Amino acid sequence: MAIRGPAGITISNTGIFILCLCGLFLFVYTFRGSLTSETGPIYGSKYDRSYRISEVLSAAIYLSEKAGHKVKAIREQDDLDEQSKGETKEGVNDPITNGDLESHRILVKGFKKGFPALHIVSEEHEEESTEGIIPPSMKHPEVLSLGGDDPKFPAEDITVWIDPLDATKEYTEKLTEYVTVMACIAVNGIPVAGVIRKPFDDKTYWGWVGHGTSSNMAGVTPGKDEGGPLRVIVSRSHAGSVKETAQAAFDGREVTVTPAGGAGYKAIEVVENKQDVYVHTTIIKKWDICAGDAILRTLGGRQTDLRGNDINYSHNLDPKNEHGLIATMHDHDAYREKLQGVSNS
């Protein structure tokens, strides 16, 4: 049987079937954001304009761990292909490697595939198609177990900050204990969830403000100043100046200054009570510090600039934080008041 259409065109049953099939395919492709899979919603449609933090955080954990495996493999295979982006303000070489770029691709492509309407800010810059990319898992069991309110937020209010490989210089020097992969979720400029992956220790730390943390931080509390030696952790590039200022600021109290690479590493040292204060006195980028900020907030700690201001992580602001940094789990204001002079030293 065939149907005669306008202008004498005859359409067979086979033709009708093919047209219907094409229409169905077009519908699925256009609205696939509303479909689900075993890992949760598969976004990827431009029509999806709001997301739940639990889903973005779950994806961040999955992608950070996947990127971390790649970072580790490249280092172990000695396939760095190291190049230089120039020098830092302190005159230190700022390298970039295959590890940075491959991690960036995994994270950015994954987020864009799963949440195409999100604002994504990464340390590296490379645009590539997401064709063929599998959407990340959006149902992490530990995240789901936290419960609590989980409303959808408009995509335009959410910014994801990505540091594909923190402590690249140390990565090239095989000081791999300092290396982390980080992702942070900010809503209206406020960090609400963060992930810090230590690929060479096979550990993932994450926190969701008002909900909870990864199980490896269960039982962590803000604590208090016990009055012993003050433990201050700083960047390897300017440990000397911070030590001098800290000793003067605390007027006779014993101060132990530990130089270390990587902002993510230093934030976790404070969270785990191995250090009392993380201080940075020069410009630092927001992708270096957003994840640590979110985790500290989740656990009752605090991170501000040295003037005491909270840091705004909105995508449309300067990615540089120019007024130093102080991160603590306790006695934040007291430490900051004594150390804020560091930024002028």
Side-chain angles (χ1 to χ4, degrees), residues 25 47 64 103 125 136 164 181 187 205 220 223 231 244 260 268 281 325:
F25 176 80
Y47 299 103
S64 297
S103 178
H125 307 281
V181 174
V187 177
Y205 301 82
V220 172
R231 302 164 298 170
E244 293 171 4
I268 294 300
T281 62
L325 179 81

Side-chain angles (χ1 to χ4, degrees), residues 146-275:
L146 297 177
D149 293 338
D150 185 23
K152 285 189 172 184
F153 289 93
E156 57 266 27
D157 294 345
I158 305 173
T159 303
V160 174
W161 291 84
I162 293 171
D163 192 341
L165 200 168
D166 190 35
T168 301
K169 183 175 183 294
E170 287 74 17
Y171 182 64
T172 65
E173 297 170 351
K174 297 185 178 181
L175 299 173
T176 54
E177 66 271 24
Y178 298 126
V179 173
T180 61
V181 174
M182 295 189 284
C184 178
I185 305 156
V187 177
N188 294 317
I190 300 170
V192 299
V195 181
I196 298 178
R197 170 69 179 175
K198 286 187 171 184
F200 294 92
D201 292 342
D202 194 23
K203 292 181 179 179
T204 303
Y205 301 82
W206 56 263
W208 181 7
V209 178
H211 291 76
T213 69
S214 51
S215 58
N216 55 3
M217 292 188 288
V220 172
T221 59
K224 62 181 181 178
D225 190 337
E226 301 291 348
L230 183 69
R231 302 164 298 170
V232 181
I233 191 165
V234 301
S235 294
R236 294 170 69 211
S237 58
H238 62 284
S241 63
V242 175
K243 184 173 183 178
E244 293 171 4
T245 306
Q247 287 175 331
F250 286 91
D251 192 23
R253 181 176 180 178
E254 184 180 352
V255 177
T256 301
V257 174
T258 301
Y265 173 87
K266 291 190 277 286
I268 294 300
E269 289 290 286
V270 171
V271 164
E272 294 186 328
N273 195 33
K274 297 175 183 177
Q275 300 290 334

Side-chain angles (χ1 to χ4, degrees), residues 74-342:
I74 288 172
R75 176 66 272 184
E76 290 176 344
Q77 294 162 11
D78 204 21
D79 185 28
L80 271 62
D81 190 23
E82 180 184 349
Q83 300 178 43
S84 179
K85 294 191 286 187
E87 292 186 347
T88 66
K89 185 177 179 180
E90 294 83 15
V92 177
N93 178 47
D94 186 14
I96 185 171
T97 69
N98 278 342
D100 298 84
L101 294 175
E102 289 297 328
S103 178
H104 165 87
R105 290 164 188 151
I106 290 169
L107 286 156
V108 172
K109 285 184 176 183
F111 276 116
K112 284 187 174 181
K113 189 70 173 184
F115 312 94
L118 285 184
H119 299 291
I120 301 170
V121 185
S122 175
E123 178 176 8
E124 310 308 336
H125 307 281
E126 186 180 67
E127 296 295 330
E128 290 192 22
S129 170
T130 59
E131 191 68 30
I133 300 298
I134 299 173
S137 170
M138 300 175 191
K139 297 287 185 183
H140 190 281
E142 276 194 61
V143 173
L144 294 179
S145 71
L146 297 177
D149 293 338
D150 185 23
K152 285 189 172 184
F153 289 93
E156 57 266 27
D157 294 345
I158 305 173
T159 303
V160 174
W161 291 84
I162 293 171
D163 192 341
L165 200 168
D166 190 35
T168 301
K169 183 175 183 294
E170 287 74 17
Y171 182 64
T172 65
E173 297 170 351
K174 297 185 178 181
L175 299 173
T176 54
E177 66 271 24
Y178 298 126
V179 173
T180 61
V181 174
M182 295 189 284
C184 178
I185 305 156
V187 177
N188 294 317
I190 300 170
V192 299
V195 181
I196 298 178
R197 170 69 179 175
K198 286 187 171 184
F200 294 92
D201 292 342
D202 194 23
K203 292 181 179 179
T204 303
Y205 301 82
W206 56 263
W208 181 7
V209 178
H211 291 76
T213 69
S214 51
S215 58
N216 55 3
M217 292 188 288
V220 172
T221 59
K224 62 181 181 178
D225 190 337
E226 301 291 348
L230 183 69
R231 302 164 298 170
V232 181
I233 191 165
V234 301
S235 294
R236 294 170 69 211
S237 58
H238 62 284
S241 63
V242 175
K243 184 173 183 178
E244 293 171 4
T245 306
Q247 287 175 331
F250 286 91
D251 192 23
R253 181 176 180 178
E254 184 180 352
V255 177
T256 301
V257 174
T258 301
Y265 173 87
K266 291 190 277 286
I268 294 300
E269 289 290 286
V270 171
V271 164
E272 294 186 328
N273 195 33
K274 297 175 183 177
Q275 300 290 334
D276 296 305
V277 190
Y278 165 29
V279 180
H280 192 88
T281 62
T282 58
I283 292 173
I284 189 167
K285 301 295 179 61
K286 293 176 183 178
W287 47 70
D288 289 315
I289 58 177
C290 185
D293 197 339
I295 291 172
L296 282 159
R297 287 172 185 245
T298 304
L299 291 165
R302 195 173 178 205
Q303 177 174 287
T304 66
D305 66 21
L306 287 171
R307 298 177 176 183
N309 299 314
D310 290 325
I311 297 161
N312 189 322
Y313 297 94
S314 296
H315 70 95
N316 55 350
L317 298 180
D318 190 338
K320 297 190 296 292
N321 172 54
E322 297 186 344
H323 301 298
L325 179 81
I326 177 168
T328 64
M329 283 292 287
H330 55 79
D331 299 282
H332 184 89
D333 289 336
Y335 292 152
R336 185 194 61 78
E337 288 173 6
K338 290 181 178 294
L339 289 167
Q340 63 183 340
V342 172

